[in-house]
Amino acid sequence: MDLEAIQAELRKANLDGWLFYDHHHRDPIAYHVLKIVAPMCTRRWYCLIPASGNPSRLTHRIERGNLDGVPGVLHLYSSWTEQRDCLRRMLEGKNRIAMQYSPMNDIPYVGLVDAGTVELVRSFGVEVVSSADLVQLFEARWSPAALASHLEAGKIVHAAIDGAFAAIKSAIQAGKTVTEYDVQQGILGVFAANGVETDEPPIVAVNANAANPHYGPTRDLAMPIRGGDFVVLDVWAKQSKPGAAYFDVTWTGFAGETVPERYTQIFNIVREARDAAVSLVKGAMQQGRLLYGYEVDDAARGVIERAGYGDKFIHRTGHSIGEDVHGNGANMDNLETHDSRQVLPGTCFSVEPGIYLDDFGVRSEVNVYVEEHDARVTGEVQQAIVPILGRER
């Protein structure tokens, strides 16, 4: 934990402290920021990082080691009355503190502290504000090593996508049956052979299945891929080592030598929406202008709405990416939530607009890494639907 950096940001935000709390491992953000591991958490613990001075810790006597590794005074409790009294004394003189709380649950990814605990803290006369911006600063920003790992994982992901399209082409031309599940397992085989891992298997979706953004084939439920089918591949992975960051992209293909105009028309709208979002981020960073997650969503969504498909774009434009594929930074979202968090240098997120019709869906996904005065897409950028049977490689 970088105590000095956290305290500097607390003072900058006019906060008296940041109060961490957990019970039954409900708040992974707390462990990531404090850089601790609590093997057992059957009792409540609290950790107050003040804007200046030493932290204060409060744990149950039978789990007194849960905050080992965090400096500062350790208070112990057994009874609920003792717990509340200790917490009250820890918060004496504090007027305004941050917690993993989100007003109106606008940002549920940060709203991890239960309402009762927020009520308890407020009962001591303390104002509770959201830690969302602090979480970004100390959880979502990447180190140079994390960025390097992301780029290396990207090479494997793109190779796996190329291999998937090649496998589909080979099977169709040979008259062999190949299913969504077969292709999915082939991608996982590439991952295993190249030292990357994923939390969930990749999405391989054909035709109407591609209209379901989170469809996933199984051994018992998978469609065959035949000539004339539309194919979506959503593939994400990270290197199998501590601190590695995910790479997450979506590509589309058509199992033929040329792509029908209907598919191309929808893809071109989605591509324009994707590029509008990326251009907004790049321009804001280059101009030194503050940018917020909801604005990026608005940029992409506006393109699709103007094309008459607004009701077919049914999810946010993008999500934060980190050691988890869905990270704890700002999401590009003004649909599912109003994400008012700032887009910060050192963070990465997906841009993945889509249009989902009854018989097929198109999504195009890239990853955007934000630099101090610029932003860049970190992998290959799809410009046209892949004609799977007409591709040379």
Side-chain angles (χ1 to χ4, degrees), residues 22-179:
D22 194 40
H23 185 222
H24 283 278
H25 294 108
R26 292 172 183 166
D27 183 6
I29 291 174
Y31 296 96
H32 291 167
V33 174
L34 296 175
K35 301 289 191 283
I36 58 172
V37 176
M40 182 178 293
C41 188
T42 67
R43 305 297 193 274
R44 291 168 284 185
W45 63 254
Y46 303 83
C47 180
L48 176 66
I49 307 296
S52 60
N54 292 321
S56 297
R57 301 169 293 159
L58 174 60
T59 67
H60 196 281
R61 285 184 172 86
I62 68 170
E63 292 178 355
R64 66 179 63 208
N66 274 1
L67 292 173
D68 284 355
V70 178
V73 178
L74 177 63
H75 305 276
L76 300 172
Y77 75 92
S78 295
S79 70
W80 66 268
T81 55
E82 189 179 16
Q83 178 230 135
R84 290 188 180 183
D85 185 58
C86 285
L87 183 59
R88 178 186 56 77
R89 285 187 276 109
M90 284 169 57
L91 293 172
E92 281 181 352
K94 305 293 186 293
N95 297 313
R96 191 165 178 261
I97 65 164
M99 296 184 74
Q100 269 75 281
Y101 151 79
S102 177
M104 302 297 290
N105 204 27
D106 272 351
I107 305 175
Y109 321 99
V110 175
L112 300 174
V113 176
D114 63 275
T117 298
V118 173
E119 290 172 354
L120 175 62
V121 172
R122 285 174 173 165
S123 75
F124 302 135
V126 178
E127 179 187 359
V128 177
V129 303
S130 177
S131 64
D133 289 331
L134 291 167
V135 169
Q136 275 219 102
L137 289 169
F138 296 103
E139 164 67 359
R141 290 189 297 182
W142 286 4
S143 67
L147 175 58
S149 76
H150 166 83
L151 297 174
E152 288 302 311
K155 296 175 184 177
I156 306 305
V157 167
H158 280 300
I161 291 171
D162 284 346
F165 284 137
I168 294 170
K169 176 181 178 180
S170 177
I172 291 174
Q173 288 181 334
K176 297 180 179 178
T177 298
V178 61
T179 70

